[in-house]
Amino acid sequence: MTQQIQKSQLAKEINYINLSPNTESKIVDQILTNASGVGLGMILTILGLLLLARWMGINNLIIKWVEKLESDTESFRTLANSVQNMSSDTKANHNTYVNEHSKILEEVRDVKEITNKILYKVDKV
């Protein structure tokens, strides 16, 4: 157990490794080779996926899907315009109804006043 403590303390004290320049060069070369291999692999994978998608006809599928979206969008625009026109017609009809209703109420008030005047005259006699 004392050896483990001493090793951990020794590891804390040593924070670098002395390597010969030749070994350092080999390590750097290996790291760069691995990194370039991974990058090349990713590029080849993406190119392969694109070629596979094109071979499977996904390009045409996407074009058809975009065309369908455009036609659906146009349909929704037409529907929205129809709803907007219907709303404006409903509002105009409502305004006409309110104006006619106001006229009717005004005429009813006039009739009520005339009726009250007649009743007042009848009561006097």
Side-chain angles (χ1 to χ4, degrees), residues 56-74:
M56 291 176 62
I58 293 178
N59 190 24
N60 294 332
L61 180 68
I62 291 172
I63 290 171
K64 289 179 183 177
W65 182 64
V66 168
E67 289 173 356
K68 185 177 184 305
L69 282 177
E70 288 174 355
S71 68
D72 289 348
T73 301
E74 187 62 33

Side-chain angles (χ1 to χ4, degrees), residues 11 18 43 79 94 100 103 110 122:
N18 287 329
I43 291 171
L79 179 64
H94 176 72
E100 289 177 1
K103 289 178 184 176
D110 291 343
V122 168

Side-chain angles (χ1 to χ4, degrees), residues 76-92:
F76 284 129
R77 283 185 185 141
T78 304
L79 179 64
N81 289 337
S82 299
V83 169
Q84 187 176 11
N85 291 339
M86 188 175 70
S87 174
S88 63
D89 290 345
T90 303
K91 189 174 182 179

Side-chain angles (χ1 to χ4, degrees), residues 1-104:
M1 191 161 194
T2 57
Q3 290 179 345
Q4 290 177 353
I5 293 172
Q6 289 175 356
K7 286 182 182 178
S8 65
Q9 289 173 353
L10 183 63
K12 288 180 184 176
E13 292 175 5
I14 299 175
N15 55 7
Y16 63 91
I17 299 174
N18 287 329
L19 298 175
S20 67
N22 190 22
T23 306
E24 286 179 4
S25 176
K26 287 180 181 179
I27 291 173
V28 169
D29 288 343
Q30 188 64 37
I31 290 172
L32 291 176
T33 303
N34 288 341
S36 64
V38 170
L40 180 63
M42 291 176 68
I43 291 171
L44 290 176
T45 301
I46 291 171
L47 289 175
L49 286 174
L50 291 174
L51 290 174
L52 181 67
R54 189 172 186 173
W55 176 73
M56 291 176 62
I58 293 178
N59 190 24
N60 294 332
L61 180 68
I62 291 172
I63 290 171
K64 289 179 183 177
W65 182 64
V66 168
E67 289 173 356
K68 185 177 184 305
L69 282 177
E70 288 174 355
S71 68
D72 289 348
T73 301
E74 187 62 33
S75 298
F76 284 129
R77 283 185 185 141
T78 304
L79 179 64
N81 289 337
S82 299
V83 169
Q84 187 176 11
N85 291 339
M86 188 175 70
S87 174
S88 63
D89 290 345
T90 303
K91 189 174 182 179
N93 288 338
H94 176 72
N95 289 340
T96 303
Y97 168 76
V98 168
N99 290 337
E100 289 177 1
H101 186 71
S102 298
K103 289 178 184 176
I104 291 171

